[in-house]
């Protein structure tokens, strides 16, 4: 374990926000709609000649949570940066504490908090995984498949992903695209770990229908009900043999604690960008680990910067299930890091061993996909 105090207090000198738009290889279709590009803010925290990096995960429309690409920028600039510039930070954990007066907006907070963690990792010369005491150097990779035009097309794609070495397939489901495609996949790939993500497309009234999925031996069903319906998830879990997993419902450490106490899930998808950053993600890890509830690391179609951050987190011992952690080429023809992430022969991704998140955005590649950049300096 590294003593973070060795890097001293961080007096942030400047924060840069560069808007990046990366075209997706294939449009990604879920019950929330269709995405053709991944637009995000590349956040840089600058001090003492060291830069820490993170990428934002809010989407352009508030279909995943209430935050958007635009609100994130507005909240960061108007409300969060003045608080970070106000006084030096004693360490990365101080960010969440400093930003606590601002209600919610976990994605906006995470974009800054994770860049500060990366800054500390680089200043100390340690990867975040090593800092947190993680012993794993690689993590099993899983892949998400958006909705396909037809079941044969879905089965073909699934076969291709299995051949590439992915150990777990997850498909997006919604009423009308659930039982049949999952049955077809189960038939085509009898031993594959198969998951289903509904992104809140169902209600508790669908319990009879969802119970039919029990016979397919799914690893889990992710977020079937509304994000605010923890009680309904608990009621549904009591009626299903298949473990439920929560994603959109878990936006804070308190949400995770409540879900565990209520029995609303038997697994949690942790995305550091969704819960306010690495600090809250580490706290959720500690809670779930004690409760014996397995975790896995989800994805928000991140570029290599966010992917590297997720891999640091996914190396922790409580992350026992394969994450939505794929090779860069799965989503992008060109990533903004070099080299891009590739799947190992064993169907894993290596946890970057360099300092901080372990990768650095390539300035020329960032420039190629940049929509503009602004830098704010400490007053
Ligand atoms: Mg999900």
């Amino acid at each position: 374990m590294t003593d973070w105090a060795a890097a001293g207090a961080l007096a942030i000198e400047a924060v840069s926000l560069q808007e990046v738009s990366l075209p997706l290889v294939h449009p990604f279709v879920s019950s929330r709609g269709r995405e053709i590009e991944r637009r995000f803010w590349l956040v840089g925290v600058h001090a003492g000649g060291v830069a820490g990096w993170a990428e934002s995960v809010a989407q352009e429309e508030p279909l995943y949570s209430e935050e958007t690409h635009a609100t994130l920028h507005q909240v960061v600039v108007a409300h969060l940066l003045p608080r970070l510039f106000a006084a030096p930070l004693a360490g990365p954990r101080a960010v969440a504490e400093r930003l606590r007066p601002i209600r919610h907006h976990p994605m906006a907070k995470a974009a800054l908090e994770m860049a500060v963690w990366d800054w500390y990792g680089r200043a100390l010369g340690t990867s975040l995984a090593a800092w947190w005491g993680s012993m794993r150097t690689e993590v099993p990779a899983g892949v998400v498949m958006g909705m396909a035009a037809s079941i044969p097309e879905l089965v073909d794609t699934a076969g291709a992903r299995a051949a590439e070495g992915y150990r777990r397939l997850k498909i997006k489901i919604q009423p009308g695209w659930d039982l049949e495609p999952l049955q077809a996949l189960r038939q085509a790939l009898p031993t594959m770990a198969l998951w289903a993500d509904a992104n809140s497309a169902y209600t508790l009234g669908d319990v009879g229908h969802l119970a039919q999925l029990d016979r397919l031996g799914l690893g889990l069903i992710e977020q079937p009900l509304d994000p605010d319906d923890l009680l309904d998830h608990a009621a549904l879990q009591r009626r299903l043999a298949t473990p439920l997993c929560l994603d959109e419902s878990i936006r804070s450490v308190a949400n995770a604690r409540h879900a565990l106490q209520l029995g609303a899930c038997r697994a949690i998808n942790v995305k550091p960008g969704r819960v306010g950053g690495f600090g809250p993600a580490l706290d959720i890890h500690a809670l779930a680990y004690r409760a014996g509830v397995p975790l896995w690391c989800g994805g928000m179609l991140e570029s290599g910067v966010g992917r590297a951050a997720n891999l640091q987190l996914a190396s922790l011992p409580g992350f026992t299930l394969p994450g939505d952690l794929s090779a860069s080429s799965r989503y992008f023809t060109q990533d903004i890091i070099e080299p891009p992430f590739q799947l190992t022969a064993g169907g894993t991704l290596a946890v970057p061993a360099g300092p901080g998140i372990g990768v650095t955005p390539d300035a020329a590649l960032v420039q190629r996909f940049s929509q503009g950049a602004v830098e704010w300096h400490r007053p």
Side-chain angles (χ1 to χ4, degrees):
M1 296 285 260
T2 308
D3 178 11
W4 57 261
L10 164 59
I12 298 175
E13 292 159 16
V15 170
S16 53
L17 289 181
Q18 184 147 24
E19 191 176 32
V20 178
S21 178
L22 279 184
L24 292 171
V25 179
H26 305 290
F28 190 82
V29 185
S30 74
S31 66
R32 298 190 311 268
R34 192 167 185 272
E35 291 162 80
I36 57 168
E37 61 168 12
R38 159 93 177 117
R39 188 180 286 263
F40 60 94
W41 303 101
L42 178 66
V43 179
V45 163
H46 308 268
V50 176
W53 300 103
E55 78 175 80
S56 63
V57 298
Q59 296 171 342
E60 292 194 62
E61 285 202 280
L63 300 173
Y64 176 84
S65 77
E66 61 272 45
E67 290 185 86
T68 70
H69 183 67
T71 68
L72 186 140
H73 182 270
Q74 198 263 337
V75 168
V76 164
V77 171
H79 306 293
L80 306 186
L81 285 186
R83 285 171 167 82
L84 289 192
F85 282 139
L89 295 159
R93 285 283 197 168
V95 177
E97 200 47 48
R98 183 77 59 81
L99 301 181
R100 193 180 302 280
I102 304 298
R103 302 292 182 203
H104 304 298
H105 296 283
M107 291 178 177
K109 292 174 180 175
L112 292 169
E113 197 257 18
M114 293 166 75
V116 169
W117 274 98
D118 185 44
W119 185 91
Y120 267 91
R122 288 173 200 269
L124 293 163
T126 180
S127 74
L128 295 178
W131 184 353
W132 297 329
S134 178
M135 309 296 283
R136 291 154 82 192
T137 56
E138 52 185 318
V139 297
V143 74
V144 191
M145 297 185 298
M147 288 170 191
S150 69
I151 289 178
E153 185 190 309
L154 178 77
V155 171
D156 275 358
T157 309
R161 298 288 166 256
E164 284 164 21
Y166 288 104
R167 296 176 181 185
R168 179 277 271 164
L169 300 181
K170 184 173 97 175
I171 71 161
K172 296 289 189 177
I173 59 167
Q174 65 181 12
W177 179 264
D178 46 23
L179 196 53
E180 287 180 10
L182 283 166
Q183 259 169 344
L185 283 178
R186 179 43 84 221
Q187 238 166 13
L189 300 163
T191 59
M192 173 63 79
L194 203 54
W195 297 1
D197 184 1
N199 295 110
S200 305
Y202 300 87
T203 69
L204 195 51
D206 296 312
V207 58
H209 180 70
L210 290 170
Q212 295 182 71
L213 299 178
D214 271 347
R215 62 185 144 87
L216 297 177
L218 302 181
L220 54 82
I221 300 171
E222 186 178 345
Q223 197 69 46
L225 311 178
D226 189 85
D228 293 327
D229 285 346
L230 281 187
L231 281 174
D232 285 0
H233 275 103
L236 180 61
Q237 181 65 90
R238 287 195 292 274
R239 303 271 301 275
L240 295 185
T242 309
L244 294 185
C245 172
L246 292 177
D247 174 356
E248 286 92 328
S249 289
I250 311 297
R251 285 157 290 184
S252 66
V253 182
N255 289 158
R257 185 165 53 79
H258 299 158
L260 294 173
Q261 283 175 351
L262 288 167
C265 62
R266 292 184 194 151
I268 297 177
N269 164 351
V270 181
K271 297 173 181 170
R274 188 196 64 224
V275 300
F278 284 130
L282 293 173
D283 291 342
I284 291 171
H285 175 261
L287 274 177
Y289 197 70
R290 276 200 296 276
V293 169
L295 302 178
W296 55 280
C297 185
M300 298 290 283
L301 308 180
E302 287 94 342
S303 81
V305 170
R307 201 163 299 268
N310 287 344
L311 282 164
Q312 299 294 327
L313 188 71
S315 71
L316 290 170
F319 286 79
T320 54
L321 301 173
D324 287 343
L325 299 164
S326 318
S328 299
S329 61
R330 168 74 188 91
Y331 297 115
F332 311 111
T333 43
Q334 177 64 60
D335 204 337
I336 58 165
I337 59 162
E338 280 292 350
F341 282 108
Q342 285 179 326
L343 213 57
T344 67
T348 66
L349 287 175
V351 180
I357 58 171
V359 304
T360 303
D362 182 296
L365 290 172
V366 171
Q367 199 49 45
R368 191 194 305 177
F369 298 106
S370 174
Q371 308 287 310
V374 186
E375 196 162 284
W376 281 268
H377 293 263
R378 189 174 66 214

